[in-house]
Amino acid sequence: IDLHAERSSLWANLGILLVRIRRVGSAAEAFQRALALDPGNQKALYNYGLACQELGRHEEAARAYLKILEFEPGNVDVAINLGELYNETGYTAETIAVYRRALQHNPLAYRVAYNLAVHLERMERDAEAADVFRQAAGAGDERGDFSLYKAGEIYHRIGRPAESAAALTAFLERWKGDPRYRLRAESLLRDASAPGGN
């Protein structure tokens, strides 16, 4: 930096190193220097948002994330960070809106879908939550598999047995994790198929 103080990338890299040694305030300043030199430096902007979020400078963090989403509306990491930032500060509707926008632009953003489904379930918007958990199941990883369980459980709870059975059957075919969820899924399936079952 002494030799090339005009290079935005050097300031951004310095900021990343400062974060690693827990000097987040200094890191934020380094990212600001990087952005002053190159306002389009997406790496610096993203990390500046993270640093501001950690420092409790929520409005600055939100502005940084929103600026990135203007250019990359389907960016999964940024959408999740901004959604969690809004959630931490009590802006639930904004959290939902950020996740929905990201999914409109990137339907394969399965982590975003999972987070959205969790928030919808907390808000007792069960039918929406179950549908979004089904979308999150596309990930094909353990979280995606668990999303099938959640979808099946919620569909069962709201009286949609055919959709519950489909989700739980798919879950049982894929699940390799905690056997308690397998047992619970099997129990829900039995309950749904019993005479007069849900």
Side-chain angles (χ1 to χ4, degrees):
I1 284 172
D2 287 342
L3 294 173
H4 302 285
E6 77 289 350
R7 289 192 185 170
S8 175
S9 60
L10 289 175
W11 287 103
N13 290 337
L14 174 62
I16 291 167
L17 291 172
L18 288 166
V19 166
R20 288 183 187 161
I21 61 172
R22 309 301 307 144
R23 291 175 52 193
V24 182
S26 298
E29 291 173 16
F31 295 132
Q32 282 180 304
R33 291 289 297 268
L35 290 166
L37 293 165
D38 177 9
N41 185 330
Q42 297 291 297
K43 180 170 77 169
L45 192 56
Y46 175 72
N47 284 292
Y48 177 65
L50 288 176
C52 287
Q53 188 168 359
E54 190 167 334
L55 292 166
R57 291 158 46 182
H58 296 136
E59 288 182 20
E60 291 172 75
R63 278 197 299 272
Y65 294 146
L66 286 167
K67 189 176 280 192
I68 295 170
L69 290 174
E70 283 177 25
F71 299 101
E72 293 181 72
N75 186 308
V76 171
D77 292 329
V78 175
I80 287 173
N81 288 348
L82 181 58
E84 288 307 309
L85 174 63
Y86 282 145
N87 186 55
E88 287 166 18
T89 52
Y91 292 99
T92 306
E94 286 79 0
T95 299
I96 301 295
V98 165
Y99 291 154
R100 286 205 185 280
R101 255 193 321 273
L103 285 169
Q104 283 175 349
H105 291 280
N106 182 2
L108 303 181
Y110 299 123
R111 285 191 297 137
V112 173
Y114 183 86
N115 283 15
L116 174 58
V118 167
H119 284 286
L120 290 169
E121 185 181 17
R122 283 186 195 145
M123 296 169 69
E124 299 181 356
R125 292 163 62 173
D126 287 342
E128 291 174 81
D131 291 342
V132 180
F133 273 124
R134 282 290 305 191
Q135 183 177 357
D141 57 11
E142 188 168 317
R143 182 182 293 158
D145 298 346
F146 185 70
S147 295
L148 285 168
Y149 170 80
K150 289 298 297 177
E153 178 186 56
I154 296 169
Y155 285 136
H156 182 270
R157 185 166 67 231
I158 64 176
R160 289 164 62 176
E163 289 161 292
S164 175
L168 292 169
T169 300
F171 166 77
L172 290 169
E173 290 170 0
R174 287 169 47 173
W175 187 245
K176 304 284 189 279
D178 188 334
R180 289 174 293 183
Y181 290 112
R182 176 174 290 280
L183 293 172
R184 178 69 180 142
E186 289 168 348
S187 173
L188 289 171
L189 271 173
R190 282 194 302 273
D191 184 46
S193 60
N198 196 3

